[in-house]
Amino acid sequence: MPALVLLGAQWGDEGKGKATDLLGGSVDYVVRYQGGNNAGHTVVVGDQKYALHLLPSGILSPGCTPVIGNGVVVDPSVLLSELSGLNERGVDTSKLLISGNAHVITPYNVTVDKVTERFLGKRKIGTTGRGIGPTYADKINRVGIRVQDLYDESILTQKVEAALDVKNQILTKLYNRRAIAVGQVVEELLGYAEQIRPYVADTVLILNQALDENKVVLFEGGQGTLLDIDHGTYPFVTSSNPTAGGACTGSGVGPTKISRVIGILKAYTTRVGSGPFPTELFDEDGEALRRIGGERGVTTGRDRRCGWFDAVIARYATRVNGLTDFFLTKLDVLTGWEQIPVCVAYEIDGKRVEELPYSQTDFHHAKPVYEYLPGWQENISKAKTFSDLPKNAQAYVKALEEMSGAPISAIGVGPGRDETIEINSFL
């Protein structure tokens, strides 16, 4: 009954796509359990680079069944475009499964997202403008559209009418926008129905049956721990639960069936969007990390904010997710520094704090307390075993492991599928 959860242990963009892809050849199902096309994964296979936004990374692994779970919000146009792009490149996408209970991102959700962010001005959250938050809000308000609704025109029309009753009032009277026609939305959504019908299934039943048959199921989170709606740096968070608990609610698989929880941890720290970031760098080091690490959002195209490794955040991720292992990525990016600062604690109002403060105000005022570890100059991209790494690189990994509270079982030393050192098997 091997069910594994793989998630981001920072603010997202840690390299989850590569980690999932590496495991993809050894697992039977890869499940996205939350988020939407606001989460981007880059996977490098040989000399080919794939940018995935909505689809599970397992779609690139022959023999693996990729699943979009009930906790995901789906933009049908993005889904079909992404499938078409992969098909054109010779990737077989026919095994994809989509939960009929997943919610649909409608055109009005996208409109509301964009106009709201513009209206907020300096107080904006920094959303991707793709309708994710408004779709989750509709879900909680019980006016959401689910994938299964596309196959009952009467129900679909009633639900769109109910949603637009309020939204059109807001759009016209608050934002001075044109009202959205019910018929236009219904027609557009119905146009996707037959195209995605072959993929729609009762994924809760299928996944539980697979686990009963001793199949290996990997649950892939989007974004990261510090962007979780409940456990992240609220309000600068996403609209769902990327943490390990979200894998259960977003897939319909119970927690007793999960055997390992793997946190993806970048060897430094990045963040996209607004919100506090204690180790953020505004100097040449920050620019170097951005340039060498190729730190540009896969989905947003925005430059990522860069900073040194934050062990306080890593410990927090270990705690709230129950992490059993870490996959450390992009260690190669740190090659060339004489010494590498690591944030081991915060200073808040003159006091040393070693755990993430629960208060938004305290976290906003947190100043990093650094320890400095010796760097290395050698190219590590060809390293195949831990002993192949320079002594200082080995010491850096061991220090991060001790500070973070869970063993580091794999290390990324380059972007390629084969540029990984496996210390302990995840399976």
Side-chain angles (χ1 to χ4, degrees):
M1 194 175 59
L4 301 86
V5 179
L6 190 147
L7 52 85
Q10 294 157 315
W11 274 288
D13 307 308
E14 301 94 348
K16 295 181 291 297
K18 176 181 179 177
T20 309
D21 178 62
L22 282 167
L23 290 166
S26 305
V27 303
D28 300 295
Y29 293 81
V30 174
V31 186
R32 271 288 304 277
Y33 59 83
Q34 49 73 227
N37 57 301
N38 57 338
H41 297 321
T42 300
V43 180
V44 179
V45 182
D47 60 353
Q48 294 292 309
K49 181 182 287 188
Y50 298 88
L52 305 175
H53 305 282
L54 178 60
L55 294 171
S57 301
I59 201 159
L60 298 175
S61 301
C64 176
T65 299
V67 179
I68 294 176
N70 57 273
V72 178
V73 290
V74 179
D75 185 322
S77 64
V78 172
L79 172 68
L80 293 170
S81 174
E82 204 163 324
L83 287 170
S84 175
L86 290 177
N87 289 333
E88 288 174 2
R89 297 176 68 178
V91 176
D92 179 14
T93 62
S94 62
K95 298 183 73 173
L96 174 68
L97 299 176
I98 303 171
S99 170
N101 288 339
H103 279 247
V104 175
I105 299 174
T106 67
Y108 53 78
N109 292 136
V110 177
T111 299
V112 168
D113 196 0
K114 290 179 177 178
V115 298
T116 302
E117 275 287 275
R118 282 197 290 267
F119 184 79
L120 288 172
K122 293 181 179 179
R123 293 176 289 113
K124 67 182 180 181
I125 302 300
T127 77
T128 59
R130 287 164 168 77
I132 310 296
T135 304
Y136 276 114
D138 280 0
K139 177 178 179 178
I140 299 304
N141 287 326
R142 296 178 290 275
V143 293
I145 308 298
R146 297 192 294 179
V147 169
Q148 60 174 280
D149 296 331
L150 304 186
Y151 305 102
D152 189 319
E153 185 173 351
S154 175
I155 287 177
L156 178 62
T157 302
Q158 291 175 46
K159 288 192 171 185
V160 172
E161 285 176 344
L164 286 179
D165 274 348
V166 176
K167 286 180 175 57
N168 275 336
Q169 294 292 323
I170 295 171
L171 287 171
T172 57
K173 295 180 179 178
L174 179 59
Y175 297 128
N176 197 29
R177 297 277 171 161
R178 198 174 355 182
I180 297 172
V182 171
Q184 183 178 342
V185 173
V186 170
E187 182 180 0
E188 180 175 334
L189 294 178
L190 287 175
Y192 299 124
E194 292 309 311
Q195 296 179 74
I196 67 173
R197 185 188 285 274
Y199 308 110
V200 180
D202 182 352
T203 58
V204 174
L205 177 62
I206 291 169
L207 291 173
N208 279 283
Q209 287 177 337
L211 288 169
D212 290 341
E213 296 168 2
N214 293 316
K215 300 287 180 66
V216 181
V217 179
L218 178 65
F219 299 93
E220 174 188 46
Q223 292 93 26
T225 297
L226 274 296
L227 291 177
D228 187 278
I229 186 69
D230 287 294
H231 303 291
T233 49
Y234 191 91
F236 303 100
V237 292
T238 193
S239 304
S240 57
N241 293 108
T243 44
C248 298
T249 55
S251 68
V253 171
T256 56
K257 295 188 176 182
I258 294 172
S259 53
R260 298 183 83 166
V261 183
I262 304 161
I264 313 303
L265 197 61
K266 197 176 286 187
Y268 48 100
T269 311
T270 61
R271 176 167 196 171
V272 171
S274 306
F277 182 2
T279 66
E280 184 173 10
L281 297 168
F282 301 94
D283 57 9
E284 293 179 358
D285 285 333
E287 182 54 41
L289 289 173
R290 185 178 298 109
R291 175 175 47 81
I292 298 168
E295 297 298 350
R296 180 176 287 269
V298 178
T299 295
T300 64
R302 294 180 287 187
D303 284 342
R304 296 177 185 137
R305 301 156 65 190
C306 295
W308 298 120
F309 184 85
D310 189 330
V312 181
I313 285 173
R315 285 194 292 273
Y316 178 75
T318 300
R319 184 165 64 250
V320 299
N321 292 298
L323 296 179
T324 59
D325 304 82
F326 278 117
F327 187 137
L328 185 70
T329 63
K330 291 198 169 184
L331 184 64
D332 54 301
V333 174
L334 296 180
T335 299
W337 269 271
E338 291 294 330
Q339 59 178 6
I340 305 170
V342 174
C343 174
V344 296
Y346 300 143
E347 180 185 309
I348 303 173
D349 295 332
K351 297 180 181 179
R352 182 184 172 105
V353 176
E354 298 195 356
E355 299 296 345
L356 194 77
Y358 81 92
S359 163
Q360 177 185 343
T361 301
D362 284 349
F363 189 62
H364 183 77
H365 292 102
K367 297 178 181 178
V369 176
Y370 287 116
E371 285 186 7
Y372 295 85
L373 303 179
W376 60 91
Q377 307 302 313
E378 301 91 332
N379 182 343
I380 65 172
S381 63
K382 303 301 180 184
K384 300 299 180 185
T385 66
F386 187 70
S387 60
D388 290 340
L389 294 173
K391 294 298 183 185
N392 286 351
Q394 292 182 35
Y396 184 81
V397 172
K398 289 177 180 176
L400 265 53
E401 181 177 71
E402 184 175 343
M403 294 173 188
S404 302
I408 293 174
S409 294
I411 304 166
V413 294
R417 177 182 268 183
D418 58 342
E419 293 176 314
T420 301
I421 296 170
E422 189 172 331
I423 301 172
N424 296 306
S425 174
F426 291 122
L427 297 172

